[in-house]
Amino acid sequence: KNQVEQSPQSLIILEGKNCTLQCNYTVSPFSNLRWYKQDTGRGPVSLTIMTFSENTKSNGRYTATLDADTKQSSLHITASQLSDSASYICVVSSYSNDYKLSFGAGTTVTVRA
Amino acid sequence: EPEVTQTPSHQVTQMGQEVILRCVPISNHLYFYWYRQILGQKVEFLVSFYNNEISEKSEIFDDQFSVERPDGSNFTLKIRSTKLEDSAMYFCASSEQGADTEAFFGQGTRLTVV
């Protein structure tokens, strides 16, 4: 069964600090991995999308890494801002399910002043 | 910037009633999706739609659910006889191609069944 596991479930950080979120997946065969940011009560917004051959991808203060061998990904947030408070969701797509994405449960990040 | 729009933003309905959730995908996109998110839980896939037919559906998408693209722009999700457990945020998404390309999500419709 295709699964996407994220850790930690939630974390609190001080404004200006860095943090790293983890994602492990068992989705196979692998197509791509995405990180989404979801503000409370809003739709997910794409941060990065990585294919098998990409190890790292940045979008501003967000940097995602991918190790397709160990099936792990991370999302690093640099110099956090209050607006970074949101749920960050790891999503993996598979060729065997061309039109479906497997979602993680998300990590809730709270940035405090 | 093009975006997926959903209406209404919040719908309250009585158990057993029919509801229609509406979505306008990004205009040049070919693949359309419905997802739901029960409060405090992960996003769950409901159905995908391509070339005017369902491509794939999950076990959640039973006979109470249906989707339609009545014209060139709207994509709707109908729940025939709502149950309390249908209360959730429903997200519409669209992508230019299939699951290999980025999916853009709407802001969601919060459905509350009372």
Side-chain angles (χ1 to χ4, degrees):
Chain A
K1 183 179 178 181
N2 290 338
Q3 287 190 322
V4 179
E5 301 292 336
Q6 291 187 244
S7 63
Q9 188 174 25
S10 63
L11 65 93
I12 300 172
I13 57 173
L14 293 177
E15 189 178 13
K17 298 298 184 182
N18 305 335
C19 68
T20 301
L21 316 179
Q22 301 292 339
C23 174
N24 298 329
Y25 62 92
T26 59
V27 176
S28 182
F30 175 83
S31 173
N32 60 61
L33 184 145
R34 311 127 186 253
W35 283 93
Y36 283 88
K37 179 185 179 185
Q38 186 180 23
D39 293 313
T40 302
R42 313 282 284 182
V45 175
S46 178
L47 295 175
T48 63
I49 179 169
M50 290 187 292
T51 59
F52 183 89
S53 59
E54 295 175 292
N55 299 121
T56 185
K57 188 169 252 187
S58 292
N59 177 0
R61 294 179 296 102
Y62 301 103
T63 299
T65 66
L66 173 65
D67 185 335
D69 292 329
T70 62
K71 299 188 177 181
Q72 295 178 325
S73 176
S74 67
L75 180 69
H76 187 75
I77 305 175
T78 304
S80 60
Q81 299 176 358
L82 297 178
S83 59
D84 292 331
S85 295
S87 178
Y88 291 84
I89 306 173
C90 177
V91 183
V92 184
S93 73
S94 167
Y95 279 124
S96 65
N97 294 302
D98 285 344
Y99 309 108
K100 188 169 72 175
L101 304 173
S102 298
F103 283 74
T107 292
T108 300
V109 174
T110 303
V111 181
R112 289 190 175 160
Chain B
E1 185 175 328
E3 60 180 12
V4 176
T5 57
Q6 290 185 242
T7 55
S9 57
H10 192 186
Q11 172 102 38
V12 180
T13 187
Q14 287 199 326
M15 190 169 55
Q17 295 296 305
E18 174 183 288
V19 295
I20 297 176
L21 310 183
R22 303 181 191 279
C23 169
V24 178
I26 294 173
S27 61
N28 65 329
H29 286 186
L30 302 177
Y31 293 79
F32 315 116
Y33 315 86
W34 282 102
Y35 294 86
R36 79 172 186 189
Q37 187 175 31
I38 295 171
L39 186 64
Q41 297 185 23
K42 67 170 68 175
V43 176
E44 301 172 290
F45 168 77
L46 292 178
V47 66
S48 59
F49 192 87
Y50 169 71
N51 200 26
N52 287 319
E53 62 181 20
I54 291 174
S55 306
E56 189 168 357
K57 59 184 180 180
S58 71
E59 58 275 9
I60 302 169
F61 195 88
D62 60 23
D63 292 342
Q64 296 295 320
F65 292 88
S66 63
V67 290
E68 197 176 39
R69 189 159 161 81
D71 52 45
S73 60
N74 289 287
F75 179 52
T76 62
L77 174 69
K78 180 191 292 186
I79 309 174
R80 268 182 266 282
S81 178
T82 51
K83 304 184 286 287
L84 294 176
E85 53 265 37
D86 292 329
S87 295
M89 280 288 280
Y90 287 81
F91 294 107
C92 173
S94 69
S95 65
E96 198 168 344
Q97 298 296 329
D100 284 355
T101 57
E102 186 170 351
F104 292 84
F105 286 78
Q107 296 302 316
T109 292
R110 179 170 297 284
L111 176 66
T112 303
V113 182
V114 297

